[in-house]
Amino acid sequence: GQNIDQPTEMTATEGAIVQINCTYQTSGFNGLFWYQQHAGEAPTFLSYNVLDGLEEKGRFSSFLSRSKGYSYLLLKELQMKDSASYLCAIMDSNYQLIWGAGTKLIIKP
Amino acid sequence: DADVTQTPRNRITKTGKRIMLECSQTKGHDRMYWYRQDPGLGLRLIYYSFDVKDINKGEISDGYSVSRQAQAKFSLSLESAIPNQTALYFCATSDQGADTGELFFGEGSRLTVL
C-alpha cells in the first residue's frame, strides 16, 4: 500500500531552526513536494525534489533520500508567520499526488 | 483577484440536497482537480481533468460528479449530499508543461451537510 508519515504537530521558538520529517512508501516515485497551509487557507507550493540531495530556497530547504524513502523540510530563522501546517506529497508512478496528513507547526515567541 | 476562484466559499445544506461547487481559473492551465480535506487526513483526490474532453475519477469519486464546461471552468456536484461529505473542498490547477507539476489551489469551499 501507499503510506506517507509525518509528525502531527511540532513546536519551535521564534528565531530557531526546525526540521519536519516525512517518510514514505509509494508505488513508484516521480517527485516529492512540500506545501505550506495556513489555517483556513489554501496550500501553497514550497519545494520540489526529484533527485537525492538538498534544495535550498531562502530560509527553507528540502532534502530527499530516495533509497531511504525519506525527506525533511528545514526552516531557519523561524518567524511567527511560519506557524502553519506543512504538507508532504509524493507523485507516484501514475503521476498522481499522494498526500500526507500534514504537520502543524506552532511557533512560540 | 485570485487566479483560481471557488464559489461558494461556505455552504450549509441538508441531507439529500443537490449541491454544486464551482471553480474557475485565469491561469490558462489545462489540468484541473477537485480535492477534499478532512481533519487528520491528507488531501484526497475526487476527480481530475487534463483537458475539456478528459474526466478521470480520483481516489474517492463515489457520491460526486464533475463537469468541465470550458478550459477555465470545472464544477463539482454532490447529487444527494450526506453528512460524511462535510469537508473543506479545494479546486486546483496545474500546467501540463511545468517541470515540477506544481498545483495552484483555490481558496477552498467549506461544505457542511446536516
Side-chain angles (χ1 to χ4, degrees):
Chain A
Q2 308 206 94
N3 192 51
I4 297 177
D5 287 318
Q6 43 181 141
T8 302
E9 186 174 298
M10 299 181 69
T11 302
T13 303
E14 189 178 15
I17 299 173
V18 70
Q19 177 174 312
I20 301 174
N21 296 326
C22 172
T23 58
Y24 63 89
Q25 289 181 307
T26 55
S27 56
F29 179 86
N30 281 299
L32 184 145
F33 295 78
W34 284 96
Y35 280 76
Q36 181 189 60
Q37 185 178 24
H38 285 99
E41 297 183 8
T44 54
F45 173 81
L46 285 178
S47 67
Y48 170 71
N49 295 68
V50 66
L51 299 176
D52 289 353
L54 188 68
E55 294 281 342
E56 296 185 79
K57 190 184 294 186
R59 295 189 298 114
F60 293 7
S61 303
S62 57
F63 171 83
L64 174 65
S65 169
R66 289 172 295 171
S67 63
K68 295 182 179 179
Y70 168 69
S71 172
Y72 67 73
L73 180 69
L74 190 71
L75 291 73
K76 302 176 183 178
E77 301 171 13
L78 286 170
Q79 303 175 9
M80 297 303 293
K81 68 179 182 179
D82 297 329
S83 292
S85 290
Y86 291 86
L87 314 180
C88 174
I90 307 298
M91 186 170 284
D92 69 9
S93 57
N94 295 318
Y95 292 91
Q96 295 300 320
L97 279 177
I98 310 300
W99 295 82
T103 299
K104 182 179 180 180
L105 178 63
I106 300 168
I107 309 297
K108 296 186 173 181
Chain B
D1 288 343
D3 293 325
V4 184
T5 303
Q6 293 182 228
T7 56
R9 294 291 312 281
N10 287 282
R11 181 72 183 268
I12 300 173
T13 191
K14 295 182 179 180
T15 298
K17 294 291 187 180
R18 183 177 187 273
I19 295 297
M20 179 181 286
L21 306 179
E22 298 185 339
C23 178
S24 63
Q25 52 115 347
T26 58
K27 298 189 75 66
H29 290 167
D30 287 325
R31 301 182 174 191
M32 299 187 73
Y33 310 79
W34 275 104
Y35 284 93
R36 68 176 277 175
Q37 188 174 42
D38 298 274
L41 298 178
L43 287 161
R44 291 183 291 167
L45 183 63
I46 306 172
Y47 271 95
Y48 62 102
S49 168
F50 283 175
D51 66 41
V52 175
K53 297 180 181 179
D54 177 74
I55 300 290
N56 303 282
K57 292 183 177 180
E59 179 187 354
I60 53 164
S61 59
D62 287 349
Y64 302 94
S65 62
V66 291
S67 174
R68 186 80 184 267
Q69 301 95 324
Q71 187 206 36
K73 296 184 181 297
F74 192 38
S75 60
L76 176 72
S77 293
L78 288 69
E79 296 300 326
S80 180
I82 56 176
N84 76 1
Q85 291 177 313
T86 293
L88 182 58
Y89 291 84
F90 285 104
C91 174
T93 72
S94 68
D95 180 1
Q96 180 181 357
D99 290 338
T100 66
E102 175 186 351
L103 292 177
F104 296 84
F105 286 86
E107 294 173 318
S109 296
R110 186 169 295 281
L111 177 65
T112 302
V113 184
L114 302 176

